[in-house]
């Protein structure tokens, strides 16, 4: 009888240990469902999505931009003016004598081209900074929504700038480098400034490249510059040249200059000139890469007749309509060439030309008033299985 009871007890214990993992898992599952229900009861929102979660997470960053951008603006404008002045001064003092030594014809070309670039950069920058982007007036011919911040009606393509604290016509973005909003009336100046400044950095970098190599590497016959500099060792061995430490190692100090630059033209000696030439090239190449990416991105948007804000709005709309089996078309997109003509304000019948109004300073205003917008019409094309611009 005792043995039988012991066996029964063992059986019960074995059964409990055996079922332990599944009971534990069931308990975890119940708890998880309970916490999930709790969370959904408190936070569920039918309109929640990955985008709204990202927006919420970025809210502290937006807050910082809203509160500090207006203080950062004057500092960043001063930086642009100061650095551009330095690049121009170094060009006059260090690079121009070097060009003059080479040829008089080249000097004349660089004087004309360089000053034209400088004029266009300065003109477009001043105009972009001091031209108001345009704000909606009291009487609007067309209203599409109400601004939640200003509690006032908004015309099409108008958005509220939280830094300027007012609505801006065809707002693109608030630019701290201009300390101004980029909108309807100064969008062209902003883009032209980017283009000319980018061209300027490419120009200065290419003109100063030989001098930079002499001062940075100690030789102008460097085949692999920058991060691939160690390859010069292999190159020298391969081309059976005598490898000298000065030829491959980055050089600093006046000692190098007095020894290796004696053979070179003008009196480009001295620590500060050495530093200035290196600074000029590194600054211009750095700005060239960053500004180049920005300019290309803006050029792509202009080609599609979209602003930086509309890119996001249209992307969402495109996705939404695609789910319904519909095709989204930007109503302001008149095709690549026409979009550029409208943006530059040189469309047919405007008596403006590319040569006069884009390659030289021009204060012409964009077509229209920024309050009402002409929209493109499309026709269903069954052969192409899509829409065709009329
Ligand atoms: Zn507003
Ligand atoms: Zn603004």
């Amino acid at each position: 009888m005792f043995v039988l009871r012991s066996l029964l007890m063992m059986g019960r214990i074995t059964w409990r240990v055996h079922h332990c993992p599944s009971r534990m898992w069931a308990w975890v599952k119940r708890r998880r469902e309970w916490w999930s229900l709790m969370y959904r009861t408190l936070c569920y929102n039918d309109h929640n999505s990955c985008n709204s979660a990202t927006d919420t997470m970025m809210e502290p960053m937006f807050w910082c931009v809203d509160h500090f951008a207006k203080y950062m603006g004057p500092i960043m404008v001063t930086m642009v003016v100061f650095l551009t002045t330095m690049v121009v001064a170094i060009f006059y003092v260090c690079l121009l004598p070097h060009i003059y030594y080479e040829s008089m014809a080249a000097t004349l070309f660089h004087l004309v081209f360089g000053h034209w670039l400088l004029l266009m950069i300065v003109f477009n920058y001043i105009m972009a900074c001091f031209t108001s982007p345009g704000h909606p007036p009291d009487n609007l011919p067309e209203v599409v929504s109400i601004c939640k911040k200003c509690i006032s009606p908004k015309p099409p393509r108008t958005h509220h700038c939280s830094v300027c604290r007012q609505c801006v016509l065809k707002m693109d973005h608030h630019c701290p480098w201009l300390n101004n909003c980029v909108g309807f009336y100064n969008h062209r100046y902003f883009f032209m400034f980017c283009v000319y400044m980018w061209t300027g950095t490419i120009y200065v970098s290419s003109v100063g490249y030989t001098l930079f190599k002499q001062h940075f590497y100690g030789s102008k016959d460097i085949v692999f510059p920058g991060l691939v500099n160690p390859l010069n060792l292999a190159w020298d061995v391969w081309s059976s040249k005598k490898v000298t430490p000065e030829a491959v190692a980055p050089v600093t100090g006046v000692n190098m200059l007095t020894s290796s630059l004696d053979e070179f033209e003008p009196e480009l000696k001295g620590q500060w000139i050495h530093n200035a030439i290196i600074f000029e090239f590194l600054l211009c190449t750095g700005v060239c890469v960053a500004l180049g990416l920005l300019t290309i991105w803006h050029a792509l948007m202009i080609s599609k007749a979209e602003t930086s804000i509309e890119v996001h709005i249209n992307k969402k709309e495109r996705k939404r309509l695609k789910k319904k089996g519909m095709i989204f078309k930007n109503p302001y997109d008149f095709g690549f060439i026409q979009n550029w003509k409208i943006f530059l304000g040189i469309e047919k019948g405007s008596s403006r030309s590319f040569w006069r109004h884009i390659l030289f300073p021009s204060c012409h205003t964009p077509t229209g008033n920024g309050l009402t917008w002409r929209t493109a019409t499309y026709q269903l094309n069954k052969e192409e299985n899509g829409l065709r611009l009329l």
Side-chain angles (χ1 to χ4, degrees):
M1 188 64 195
F2 176 74
V3 174
L4 192 68
R5 257 180 85 179
S6 302
L7 280 171
L8 277 170
M9 282 281 283
M10 274 183 75
R12 218 157 81 192
I13 292 164
T14 315
W15 177 83
R16 281 185 178 169
V17 171
H18 178 70
H19 286 88
C20 210
S22 59
R23 285 162 73 94
M24 279 283 283
W25 176 241
W27 181 84
V28 170
K29 214 172 157 186
R30 269 202 312 278
R31 284 275 133 192
R32 200 184 64 189
E33 280 168 5
W34 186 79
W35 278 110
S36 171
L37 181 68
M38 277 281 284
Y39 172 75
R40 281 166 184 269
T41 311
L42 294 170
C43 317
Y44 185 75
N45 184 342
D46 191 40
H47 301 290
N48 240 349
S49 67
C50 209
N51 288 338
S52 56
T54 316
D55 284 352
T56 312
M57 279 196 287
M58 287 171 80
E59 210 44 57
M61 199 184 84
F62 293 143
W63 185 89
C64 289
V65 170
D66 290 354
H67 286 77
F68 298 114
K70 60 183 170 193
Y71 303 111
M72 287 300 291
I75 298 169
M76 288 167 98
V77 169
T78 313
M79 259 177 76
V80 172
V81 174
F82 179 70
L83 291 175
T84 310
T85 311
M86 273 188 82
V87 168
V88 173
I90 294 169
F91 191 92
Y92 275 126
V93 176
C94 305
L95 304 190
L96 210 54
H98 177 75
I99 298 163
Y100 180 70
Y101 183 84
E102 280 179 352
S103 113
M104 183 49 116
T107 311
L108 283 172
F109 166 76
H110 285 285
L111 277 174
V112 173
F113 183 73
H115 282 104
W116 169 73
L117 262 182
L118 183 62
L119 173 74
M120 294 309 288
I121 290 170
V122 173
F123 171 77
N124 283 296
Y125 188 66
I126 290 173
M127 292 304 284
C129 286
F130 295 106
T131 304
S132 167
H135 307 289
D138 292 334
N139 296 321
L140 292 173
E142 191 182 345
V143 174
V144 288
S145 60
I146 302 288
C147 175
K148 289 174 198 163
K149 305 271 173 68
C150 308
I151 323 287
S152 60
K154 275 200 299 189
R157 308 189 86 178
T158 296
H159 296 283
H160 185 88
C161 173
S162 44
V163 181
C164 300
R165 297 189 176 183
Q166 54 187 331
C167 281
V168 175
L169 299 180
K170 198 200 150 200
M171 183 182 168
D172 190 86
H173 68 288
H174 183 92
C175 182
W177 295 105
L178 301 177
N179 193 29
N180 196 7
C181 245
V182 176
F184 181 66
Y185 287 105
N186 64 349
H187 198 178
R188 179 176 65 89
Y189 296 125
F190 160 77
F191 183 73
M192 295 319 292
F193 165 70
C194 289
V195 170
Y196 284 113
M197 190 58 134
W198 186 32
T199 315
T201 53
I202 294 170
Y203 169 67
V204 175
S205 305
S206 42
V207 169
Y209 185 51
T210 312
L211 264 184
F212 168 77
K213 281 194 291 185
Q214 287 169 12
H215 283 259
F216 192 76
Y217 299 104
S219 165
K220 64 178 177 181
D221 300 320
I222 288 290
V223 187
F224 300 101
L227 294 173
V228 287
N229 183 33
L231 288 177
N232 285 308
L233 274 169
W235 174 263
D236 282 342
V237 171
W238 184 76
S239 57
S240 308
K241 281 183 184 170
K242 192 188 170 191
V243 182
T244 57
E246 293 85 21
V248 287
V251 189
T252 53
V254 184
N255 293 343
M256 174 287 289
L257 293 172
T258 48
S259 59
S260 63
L261 289 183
D262 276 348
E263 60 195 276
F264 297 126
E265 39 327 310
E267 287 291 308
L268 291 178
K269 295 176 190 172
Q271 184 69 56
W272 78 269
I273 286 193
H274 171 71
N275 292 342
I277 288 168
I278 292 172
F279 167 80
E280 176 108 324
F281 182 81
L282 294 181
L283 177 72
C284 286
T285 44
V287 173
C288 178
V289 173
L291 194 60
L293 292 172
L294 183 87
T295 310
I296 292 168
W297 184 50
H298 273 274
L300 289 172
M301 288 192 292
I302 294 163
S303 307
K304 293 176 186 171
E306 287 177 325
T307 61
S308 305
I309 298 172
E310 285 168 354
V311 165
H312 300 290
I313 297 171
N314 293 352
K315 198 177 162 188
K316 273 187 190 175
E317 199 59 12
R318 201 168 281 124
K319 262 187 187 175
R320 190 180 70 81
L321 291 178
K322 200 179 174 187
K323 278 181 189 170
K324 294 183 176 180
M326 293 159 84
I327 303 166
F328 172 79
K329 279 282 173 188
N330 178 12
Y332 311 113
D333 185 359
F334 289 90
F336 182 84
I337 294 171
Q338 191 60 19
N339 287 343
W340 276 101
K341 283 185 174 177
I342 293 171
F343 175 76
L344 298 172
I346 53 168
E347 64 270 38
K348 250 185 180 177
S350 63
S351 73
R352 294 168 190 155
S353 68
F354 182 81
W355 299 104
R356 164 64 193 93
H357 293 87
I358 303 303
L359 296 183
F360 291 96
S362 169
C363 297
H364 67 274
T365 51
T367 313
N369 52 13
L371 303 172
T372 51
W373 294 87
R374 206 156 52 90
T375 50
T377 45
Y378 296 89
Q379 189 184 43
L380 188 67
N381 190 346
K382 285 178 184 169
E383 284 169 20
E384 291 171 19
N385 199 21
L387 299 171
R388 183 194 280 169
L389 181 67
L390 286 172

